[in-house]
Amino acid sequence: MQLRFHNSLTRRAEDFRPIDPAHIRMYVCGPTVYDLAHLGNARPVVVFDVLARLLRRVFPHVTYARNITDVDDKINARARESGEPIGAITARTTADFHADMRALNALDPDVEPTATGHIPEMIALCEKLIARGHAYAAEGHVLFSVGSFPEYGKLSGRSPEDLLAGARIDVAPYKRDAGDFVLWKPSDTETPGWDSPWGRGRPGWHIECSAMSWKHLGEVFDIHGGGHDLIFPHHENEVAQSVCAHGTQTMARYWLHNGMLLVDGEKMSKSLGNFLTVRDILARGPWAGEAFRYLLLRTHYRSSLDYSAAALDECKAELDDFYAMLARPAPEARTPRAMVDWVLEPLGDDLNTPLALARLRDLRTLENIANVGGSPAAVHARTPEAWHPVPGEARAAVLEAAQVLGLLWQDPAAWRQGGGDADVDAAIAARLAARAAKNWAEADRIRDALKAQDIILEDGPQGTTWRRA
RNA sequence: GGUCCGAUGGCCGAUUGGUUAGGCACGGGACUGCAAAUCCCCCUAGGGCGGUUCGAUUCCGCCUCGGACCUCCA
């Protein structure tokens, strides 16, 4: 399967040509652990989780690295405000992050380096950059010299003049050039710091990712991912650091950036009152994690995505339909390879998850037709060949393809009836007796009483089943 | 102000130089004691103005609107 990705570096869709097809290496910028993950933080996690699953399906060996930034001035500020020790904040927030992302069925990356675990590598990078004339020490700082790297601005598509013209920061006096950025900065006794050739200090943000990707993926690797808002300055600076330190042509061959997530049409912010954490979503119910994942995947990863509670409910309804199909007894059947490939094919085209989901729904319809009856003509108009509905086959294909999307991993009965213990069997038996006596009023009364508890009965050929609304 | 991205039905969202996928909502039907689930049908849309073309939603230009970034935001 040939993969194609839109490469931010060239602003074009390109065929994916691995550096080493036997070993694919991907790095994605992870969270700064000072607060609970918000909805926007979850988007790159889910998007690149799907990409990692796809890569693992296509290539024999994949190393996916996603870092934890656990040294940062936002963390320091949080500790000063709350009085909680920094180590406690980062440990708790990291655990919360892991729990939240697992609730979205995002697999753990293969390696999850921490910034504090890679201070020696960061110092080594600073020394290499100074030795090569790309950085200089000044007043306890180490600064990257933007003027030493002619290609600075290539990733973000800016010229150094543009960057300078748009700069809205105060230029520190020790900077040789307004665009120079910090690799290392001094720490006072109240601030976390590590001994270095330039005195006790701490790393700048950008150097962390250069150090961690170098350590775990090498000087040049295949894919670098992250949010679109990180292109400048974070990724631009990463490229400058890594390329200049190692003397390589590039840092990563393919740069993938996900679009921003909006809430009710506006960017999330605490001042607007539309700031939502993943935990807020998960509190909606046991279905909410998967419904949110579905919501993220039904929009192409590069588009901006507008979150709303109504959209989340719609995603739950769509998953209800899938789980209704999966809950129906089905015979063991072979998994038709062609059906799985047909669903996954769009993923190879710059991770077109919305089209893959549409095809997954077509397979669901095919399975329903095999079991319940109907005409496959509408589905056949879209499929590459007229697959005959055979009970169990499309179902098996749905389950295998959904694994790559990280969907439909839950037990269908648990999905339909989960969210609390309910003993409805006795009520169903009583209603069955009333129906046998053609006492429709009593039968409907029982059904309505259950409905008042959000329990929906479904009479089918194999008897009566139930689910939660 | 600069750089870049986008605009598709009531809503969400793909594909495409030649009758605009799919989903949700709405409406109708089959099935059902009535429902639910399922299936069938219906709903046929490309911001505005130009250009290229036999033909433009698709390619190009301008305008409008929205968004991202412009030195530590996913």
Side-chain angles (χ1 to χ4, degrees), chain A residues 333-412:
Chain A
R334 71 190 182 89
T335 304
R337 169 104 283 110
M339 289 187 186
V340 178
D341 291 344
W342 179 64
V343 173
L344 298 181
E345 182 187 32
L347 298 184
D349 181 16
D350 199 28
L351 222 56
N352 189 343
T353 52
L355 190 56
L357 286 175
R359 291 183 175 186
L360 200 66
R361 282 190 292 264
D362 269 336
L363 288 193
R364 181 190 68 204
T365 299
L366 209 57
E367 180 67 25
N368 286 335
I369 287 169
N371 285 276
V372 186
S375 166
V379 173
H380 285 167
R382 294 183 287 273
T383 56
E385 51 185 303
W387 290 316
H388 293 298
V390 176
E393 285 196 353
R395 180 186 195 277
V398 165
L399 282 172
E400 182 171 331
Q403 277 185 28
V404 182
L405 294 161
L407 293 170
L408 305 178
W409 75 92
Q410 304 190 59
D411 176 67

Side-chain angles (χ1 to χ4, degrees), chain A residues 35-328:
Chain A
D35 204 350
L36 286 170
H38 60 65
L39 261 34
N41 293 313
R43 174 120 94 143
V45 172
V46 168
V47 163
F48 292 107
D49 179 56
V50 173
L51 179 54
R53 289 170 187 254
L54 178 68
L55 290 170
R56 290 194 190 104
R57 187 181 168 86
V58 175
F59 296 99
H61 182 46
V62 175
T63 298
Y64 169 27
R66 188 184 64 210
N67 69 291
I68 296 281
T69 295
D70 58 352
V71 48
D72 182 272
D73 285 351
K74 281 199 289 291
I75 300 172
N76 301 338
R78 182 58 58 98
R80 274 197 306 277
E81 292 160 13
S82 67
E84 189 178 5
I86 284 172
I89 292 174
T90 58
R92 187 189 69 248
T93 308
T94 299
D96 288 342
F97 177 76
H98 286 153
D100 288 349
M101 296 310 118
R102 280 170 192 152
L104 303 180
N105 200 30
L107 301 173
D108 294 336
D110 299 294
V111 283
E112 192 170 51
T114 60
T116 52
H118 295 74
I119 301 293
E121 286 82 1
M122 296 175 202
I123 291 174
L125 276 183
C126 289
E127 289 180 317
K128 285 180 77 169
L129 287 167
I130 291 173
R132 287 173 172 269
H134 289 294
Y136 55 96
E139 298 182 25
H141 296 73
V142 178
L143 293 145
F144 185 90
S145 173
V146 170
S148 74
F149 182 47
E151 286 189 31
Y152 190 76
K154 186 180 172 192
L155 176 65
S156 54
R158 293 146 206 266
S159 67
E161 301 81 64
D162 290 340
L163 294 168
L164 210 58
R168 56 185 184 194
I169 48 154
D170 295 327
V171 178
Y174 47 78
K175 285 190 180 180
R176 290 181 191 167
D177 190 307
D180 293 352
F181 57 91
V182 170
L183 303 174
W184 188 266
K185 52 191 166 186
S187 293
D188 61 29
T189 52
E190 305 299 309
T191 309
W194 289 262
D195 289 331
S196 81
W198 315 284
R200 184 171 176 279
R202 62 193 191 283
W205 179 35
H206 315 301
I207 198 73
E208 299 178 9
C209 285
S210 283
M212 289 184 273
S213 62
W214 174 38
K215 172 76 178 291
H216 296 280
L217 302 179
E219 295 180 352
V220 184
F221 49 95
D222 293 294
I223 297 172
H224 193 310
H228 189 256
D229 53 348
L230 294 184
I231 291 178
F232 190 88
H234 185 52
H235 291 163
E236 190 71 59
N237 291 355
E238 278 187 47
V239 172
Q241 292 160 348
S242 294
V243 166
C244 290
H246 303 128
T248 50
Q249 287 292 312
T250 55
M251 176 187 191
R253 297 259 285 252
Y254 302 89
W255 289 78
L256 273 58
H257 290 100
N258 62 273
M260 297 294 99
L261 183 145
L262 308 176
V263 171
D264 294 327
E266 293 180 301
K267 189 174 181 180
M268 266 195 301
S269 76
K270 283 176 178 166
S271 58
L272 283 171
N274 63 352
F275 190 91
L276 283 173
T277 63
V278 172
R279 201 144 288 195
D280 292 331
I281 298 295
L282 295 177
R284 295 280 310 276
W287 49 270
E290 184 166 0
F292 184 57
R293 185 182 179 98
Y294 192 101
L295 180 114
L296 291 173
L297 296 181
R298 72 178 195 158
T299 298
H300 187 90
Y301 77 94
R302 287 195 289 116
S303 303
S304 62
L305 184 164
D306 190 14
Y307 171 84
S308 69
L312 189 69
D313 290 339
E314 188 178 305
C315 291
K316 178 195 181 291
E318 292 212 33
L319 286 166
D320 283 343
D321 293 343
F322 276 106
Y323 279 115
M325 181 273 282
L326 293 173
R328 229 167 14 230

